[in-house]
Amino acid sequence: MSAPERIPPRSLTAAGAGDGAGDGAALGGLLARGELTVRGRIREASNAALFCTVSHEGRQAPCVYKPVAGERPLWDFPDGTLAGREVAAYEVSEATGWGLVPPTVLRDGPYGEGMCQLWIDVHAEAELLALVDGEEPEPGWKAIGFAEVGEGRTALLVHADDERLRRLAVLDAVINNADRKGGHLLPTADGRLYGIDHGVTFNVENKLRTLLWGWAGEPLTPEALDVLKGLRDALDGALGERLGGLITPAEIDATRARVDALLTSGTHPEPSGEWPAIPWPPV
């Protein structure tokens, strides 16, 4: 790509950290039942986010613990609900079969109830976002929009034309993600991609705000349509029951409606114009 300014992925590294989710069920049990030991705080997080280790029956894993007590009040989301929304996003991700969210549970911890999620090591060389000169992206990239880069200069913000990102764009449309930033994309050394920070999701109003607009208006893939059909059935069954303990009945109904809308249109959603389309800061 010509004259690129690479946007580095968020650096999340720690001694002993894991680089993949592995066996989700086993890790979920470890996260739910293990003893949490706080090792430090993730300072760039907007809400209290603590780096921990969780240990149980000789097994240990690094994780992130976000206590409800450390959540900042938001005008458009009920207080004390962000942790539950993070777990709900994991449940929906698992129901798709795409495994896009690290294992996540709701549990008690050193500072009360909160979300506990497996820590993911990032492959720093993976390139998912970039700023480039020109008005059109090169092959292999999708345009997001233009951004001011200083000294009166404008550059085109692009994301990779990547199947993993496209799946995540579908998931975000389902869960109504209001904050898909570049720093929330975690590619791993084994080629997987995870999305994190799903506290502002599942609102009944359309709040989709993301960097992954490159496919807006394009037809959904056959795979995505099949996944959405299965997800719609699951929402009327076991998945809906699990979500019932995490988000409200109205929010579950709104999730069903979003899936129905995607299946009816058969296309990726476009910005509504009623809500800022891109989060700020974007990374």
Side-chain angles (χ1 to χ4, degrees):
M1 302 179 69
S2 60
E5 293 184 21
R6 301 300 183 193
I7 300 176
R10 180 182 179 186
S11 178
L12 294 180
T13 57
D19 60 5
D23 183 345
L27 286 167
L30 173 62
L31 291 170
R33 294 188 293 271
E35 180 180 357
L36 277 178
T37 302
V38 176
R39 304 297 184 184
R41 182 170 183 173
I42 303 170
R43 295 189 178 276
E44 65 266 30
S46 56
N47 296 289
L50 305 175
F51 175 69
C52 303
T53 53
V54 59
S55 305
H56 183 66
E57 296 182 346
R59 195 175 186 194
Q60 179 173 291
C63 61
V64 176
Y65 161 54
K66 297 181 181 179
V68 170
E71 294 178 5
R72 295 192 307 172
L74 298 172
W75 68 269
D76 52 349
F77 286 84
D79 294 350
T81 67
L82 305 191
R85 295 172 194 280
E86 295 240 30
V87 181
Y90 168 70
E91 292 287 355
V92 173
S93 169
E94 287 299 285
T96 66
W98 286 334
L100 295 169
V101 179
T104 312
V105 301
L106 192 66
R107 58 161 292 169
D108 195 26
Y111 299 102
E113 185 179 59
M115 176 278 274
C116 186
Q117 183 176 82
L118 183 71
W119 179 276
I120 300 296
D121 264 351
V122 170
H123 181 45
E125 294 182 1
E127 294 179 350
L128 299 176
L129 299 167
L131 285 167
V132 299
D133 291 331
E135 297 187 357
E136 296 291 336
E138 293 188 1
W141 296 85
K142 305 289 279 187
I144 303 169
F146 291 95
E148 296 289 337
V149 293
E151 299 180 352
R153 182 184 164 211
T154 300
L156 183 64
L157 180 61
V158 298
H159 67 66
D161 188 1
D162 186 302
E163 178 183 284
R164 301 169 301 170
L165 288 179
R166 191 166 190 172
R167 289 173 173 174
L168 193 58
V170 174
L171 176 66
D172 283 344
V174 170
I175 66 176
N176 196 16
N177 192 349
D179 195 32
R180 175 60 72 204
K181 296 178 179 177
H184 301 165
L185 305 173
L186 307 186
T188 66
D190 63 1
R192 299 197 63 172
L193 175 73
Y194 296 97
I196 61 168
D197 285 358
H198 297 110
V200 287
T201 50
F202 295 101
N203 201 298
V204 296
E205 299 180 5
N206 181 10
K207 291 185 178 291
L208 183 60
R209 188 168 60 173
T210 176
L211 286 179
L212 304 181
W213 287 116
W215 298 281
E218 293 187 14
L220 293 164
T221 65
E223 177 200 41
L225 290 170
D226 286 343
V227 165
L228 289 168
K229 291 173 185 175
L231 190 59
R232 185 62 180 83
D233 292 339
L235 284 166
D236 286 336
L239 174 61
E241 294 177 4
R242 292 195 298 275
L243 293 181
L246 300 167
I247 57 178
T248 69
E251 289 166 341
I252 297 173
D253 287 342
T255 303
R256 293 190 184 99
R258 287 191 295 272
V259 174
D260 287 340
L262 288 167
L263 287 170
T264 299
S265 71
T267 61
H268 287 269
E270 299 181 77
S272 67
E274 300 174 355
W275 177 256
I278 296 176
W280 188 261
V283 178

